[in-house]
Amino acid sequence: MPIAENIKSALASSSMIRRMFEEGLQLKKIHGNDNVFDFSLGNPDIDPPRTFHDLFVKLAQEDEKGSHGYMPNAGYPHVREALAKKVSREQNVKADGSHIVLSVGAAGGLNTVIKTICNPDDEVIVSRPYFMEYRAYTANHGAKLVEVDALDDFDLDIKAIDAALNEKTAAVIINSPNNPTGKIYSKEKLSSLASALTQHGKKTGRFVYLVSDEPYREIVYGHDVPPVLSCYSQSIVVYSYSKSLSLPGERIGYIAVSPEIFDKDDLVNGLIYSTRILGYVNAPALMQRIVGTLTEEKVDISVYQRRRDAFMKVLNDAGIEYADPQGAFYLFCKVPESEREAGDQADDKAFTDHLKKYLILGVPGSGFGKPMWVRFAYCVDEKIIKNSASAFKKAAESW
Amino acid sequence: MPIAENIKSALASSSMIRRMFEEGLQLKKIHGNDNVFDFSLGNPDIDPPRTFHDLFVKLAQEDEKGSHGYMPNAGYPHVREALAKKVSREQNVKADGSHIVLSVGAAGGLNTVIKTICNPDDEVIVSRPYFMEYRAYTANHGAKLVEVDALDDFDLDIKAIDAALNEKTAAVIINSPNNPTGKIYSKEKLSSLASALTQHGKKTGRFVYLVSDEPYREIVYGHDVPPVLSCYSQSIVVYSYSKSLSLPGERIGYIAVSPEIFDKDDLVNGLIYSTRILGYVNAPALMQRIVGTLTEEKVDISVYQRRRDAFMKVLNDAGIEYADPQGAFYLFCKVPESEREAGDQADDKAFTDHLKKYLILGVPGSGFGKPMWVRFAYCVDEKIIKNSASAFKKAAESW
């Protein structure tokens, strides 16, 4: 029994994705990097903005005494204040530094929130399809993920969420713009979710937290992401600079709680305590100072938009249907009707295997709880997207 | 029920330390920073070495494309290789990059290890007194901390550890040099621990991991820290650059497993998986690149040594006894015999309260599982240590 049983079984079930990743590497070795159309990974490849670079150099040259030391576990007070201004503006609330806790990215922030609010066997509701890590994040802290199917257009199904609420429900997690669908939830939709949660709270005495995972907030194409904090008093935003500043490897983000949230001191002190004992201790010091200054900056979103438009054209030409991509950098595609012979598999895994023959790599929707769909990430050069056109066409025709 | 019950009760019990911290702040406001002898916090205050600064500036100026992006969850392959060379030299083994996983400091590394190796209700043995966070780290993952008293000189009590081993034991955690005692475990002591663990493994079929928490490895005064990896095949080292490079706020460290460890692939894949799902995802990218280059560097230890020597003189003059400080930056002191009147409390909490009247701040040993002792950290200017002499004398005389 060298490792824990749950880790061992998780390794076994995640081997599919690892195998895919390894096959991708092999394909690139054989055919060359530029000849494999790898849309499997959501690894932002756009450079951080120039202002990031300038500040990075300035802080390195100054290298102020004590600037790599411990600070309070919640983060530098001046950074919390600066982020509170950003959050207040974006979320239409009056937050101050006491509503912000710096985190090790959104992944660290979500674990911190779940650890803080969930008793053993509490439930966390999520709209399916969803970012697959949520399952592990809830299991880490003894909570249970409850999956509720989205509507056909991948919008939230409020009735279904309402039906899933019970006395064990600690939170509903939403992710907008959504990975993998690109969906942005409208203000009206969020309001009806807030109504359902408020009614449930009044009836049962337990007000369910609305946890909004917003790493893609700035990655939008002609849409705004409506505020959650001003829509429902018991809401918590988790944010990451992985996408907006292209800093995924540096692990920096924050948690922001609604100024109207109940028992705010207990909650925030709990978040700070969880940050400490989960071993983050604090978000990385240098990056805290950087994001506390660059509150108005983001990467050049037009690059993603051009890629998205190019990719939509490729898919249109191949006759492959996809969900309306309002934000994030994914195209979530329907596995085409198959003309395969009887007995042949025609699901999302079979389709991604089929695509691989044409050197196209994507992730089966099953990994997001949505079989018969496939996710393509466009964190790759526009050239590669355009060059994939004939491969997609051939693959679709021969499916 | 706004937050989890276990977090709420943890907040209540940790309020003592918070109150002490807040009282310290108040004292400094009243009397001035330099007039309060604050030895409560282990926050390294020595500057990182000059080579750190130079490399920091160089990497900022280059700001290589993609250098803030995701890398494999285990860390950059070239950094894993570089650290494997450092570990091989220090631990007298032949490790390669596959034995190293970069971590968010030692706190992140320890959580990753415990998550990976512990089934629910498994036990982790620790020698008391110990770094109090171990309790939360084991509880995070459903495991149970089993405390075994150290010998009178704070060395490991092998017989007691042996007696605590059972079929539920997943690991023994050691911490050398030790926080709070400053003790370094000898080669002979580690060998007899290894023998006990090996015998237990042969008898029961379960080989207990020896997890060596080594953030203070370089902070030693005329002593070496004997290698653990070459002493016991089922051992895992957790390391942090918080002390050796004075980078505690940047959250960078690593996990190194013995090249002889059983089921190494499962274990390392499990560590990588846990790194991901616990929300660290990876250790901060920039700091990985820095520590992968500065493998030979450390802060100027002579500064700590001078402080230690000055502090020992202060305590000697005040007639306060302490454990032999072989490493780390703490003096662990016995609460002096009291001449207090009957009915007055004379324990470690009362003694730290008493010291506070003389503007001296320390941490009661109860917080480390060792009542009637007090910990002083000397991460403060030598001048403050020297200036505390008469305060210590008066406090000891009036106790």
Side-chain angles (χ1 to χ4, degrees), chain B residues 99 127 143 190 198 212 222 263 265 304 378:
Chain B
H99 301 103
S127 177
L190 294 178
T198 303
S212 183
D263 299 287
D265 286 353
Y304 286 129
Y378 43 92

Side-chain angles (χ1 to χ4, degrees), chain B residues 13-83:
Chain B
S13 71
S14 73
S15 70
M16 193 258 300
I17 294 167
R18 207 163 54 238
R19 207 176 55 235
M20 200 176 66
F21 178 69
E22 279 157 17
E23 283 175 3
L25 287 181
Q26 267 190 317
L27 286 179
K28 285 179 194 175
K29 240 181 217 167
I30 299 170
H31 301 280
N33 276 345
D34 281 4
N35 298 316
V36 178
F37 310 114
D38 187 353
F39 305 121
S40 59
L41 287 181
N43 188 1
D45 66 319
I46 300 183
D47 284 331
R50 180 76 208 179
T51 45
F52 167 84
H53 173 73
D54 294 343
L55 181 58
F56 183 22
V57 171
K58 180 172 172 279
L59 292 178
Q61 282 168 342
E62 291 172 0
D63 207 7
E64 210 176 289
K65 192 174 167 56
S67 60
H68 308 289
Y70 286 124
M71 80 296 302
N73 298 122
Y76 290 111
H78 76 274
V79 174
R80 296 174 78 191
E81 289 299 334
L83 297 182

Side-chain angles (χ1 to χ4, degrees), chain A residues 291-329:
Chain A
V291 303
T293 304
L294 301 183
T295 53
E296 311 295 315
E297 301 295 326
K298 59 180 177 190
V299 295
D300 180 3
I301 308 301
S302 70
V303 178
Y304 287 129
Q305 177 140 19
R306 280 198 304 275
R307 291 173 181 179
R308 182 195 72 145
D309 296 346
F311 212 145
M312 286 163 74
K313 188 174 179 313
V314 166
L315 294 170
N316 291 342
D317 289 351
I320 295 174
E321 288 176 54
Y322 48 84
D324 179 21
Q326 303 174 329
F329 37 56

Side-chain angles (χ1 to χ4, degrees), chain B residues 96-118:
Chain B
D96 60 41
S98 74
H99 301 103
I100 307 288
V101 176
L102 274 290
S103 69
V104 170
L110 285 166
N111 270 281
T112 301
V113 169
I114 295 167
K115 168 87 180 170
T116 306
I117 63 175
C118 288

Side-chain angles (χ1 to χ4, degrees), chain A residues 1-2 4-5 8 53 60 63 68 115-116 119 133 140 209 249-251 266 276-278 280 282 285, chain B residues 1-2 4-5 8 53 60 63 68 115-116 119 133 140 209 249-251 266 276-278 280 282 285-286:
Chain A
M1 191 166 45
E5 293 302 329
K8 198 164 169 92
H53 173 74
D63 206 7
H68 308 289
K115 168 87 181 171
T116 305
N119 282 310
E133 300 292 86
N140 283 341
Y209 290 105
E250 304 293 1
R251 312 310 304 136
D266 264 6
R276 198 187 90 205
I277 65 163
L278 284 175
Y280 311 117
N282 54 253
Chain B
M1 190 165 47
E5 294 301 330
K8 198 164 168 88
H53 173 73
D63 207 7
H68 308 289
K115 168 87 180 170
T116 306
N119 281 310
E133 300 291 87
N140 282 341
Y209 290 107
E250 304 294 1
R251 313 308 306 137
D266 264 6
R276 199 187 90 205
I277 64 163
L278 284 175
Y280 311 116
N282 55 253
L286 172 68

Side-chain angles (χ1 to χ4, degrees), chain B residues 199-266:
Chain B
Q199 276 200 314
H200 173 78
K202 284 185 177 159
K203 208 173 62 193
T204 63
R206 182 170 190 179
F207 284 85
V208 168
Y209 290 107
L210 177 57
V211 179
S212 183
D213 180 23
E214 306 190 352
Y216 302 100
R217 164 167 278 280
E218 283 84 3
I219 317 295
V220 290
Y221 312 109
H223 293 77
D224 273 336
V225 179
V228 165
L229 292 190
S230 50
C231 178
Y232 177 58
S233 63
Q234 305 309 302
S235 56
I236 302 173
V237 164
V238 178
Y239 183 81
S240 162
Y241 287 92
S242 296
K243 283 80 185 175
S244 64
L245 291 180
S246 269
L247 300 174
E250 304 294 1
R251 313 308 306 137
I252 182 74
Y254 61 78
I255 304 163
V257 307
S258 161
E260 308 293 325
I261 212 155
F262 298 158
D263 299 287
K264 176 249 195 181
D265 286 353
D266 264 6

Side-chain angles (χ1 to χ4, degrees), chain B residues 118-131:
Chain B
C118 288
N119 281 310
D121 301 321
D122 270 358
E123 297 181 0
V124 174
I125 296 173
V126 71
S127 177
R128 182 166 59 195
Y130 63 96
F131 178 48

Side-chain angles (χ1 to χ4, degrees), chain B residues 162-218:
Chain B
D162 193 38
L165 294 170
N166 65 59
E167 73 285 357
K168 287 299 225 177
T169 312
V172 175
I173 298 184
I174 59 172
N175 173 216
S176 172
N178 187 268
N179 173 13
T181 67
K183 185 81 185 174
I184 295 171
Y185 305 131
S186 70
K187 200 177 164 183
E188 294 68 35
K189 188 57 84 165
L190 294 178
S191 292
S192 49
L193 177 57
S195 298
L197 298 179
T198 303
Q199 276 200 314
H200 173 78
K202 284 185 177 159
K203 208 173 62 193
T204 63
R206 182 170 190 179
F207 284 85
V208 168
Y209 290 107
L210 177 57
V211 179
S212 183
D213 180 23
E214 306 190 352
Y216 302 100
R217 164 167 278 280
E218 283 84 3

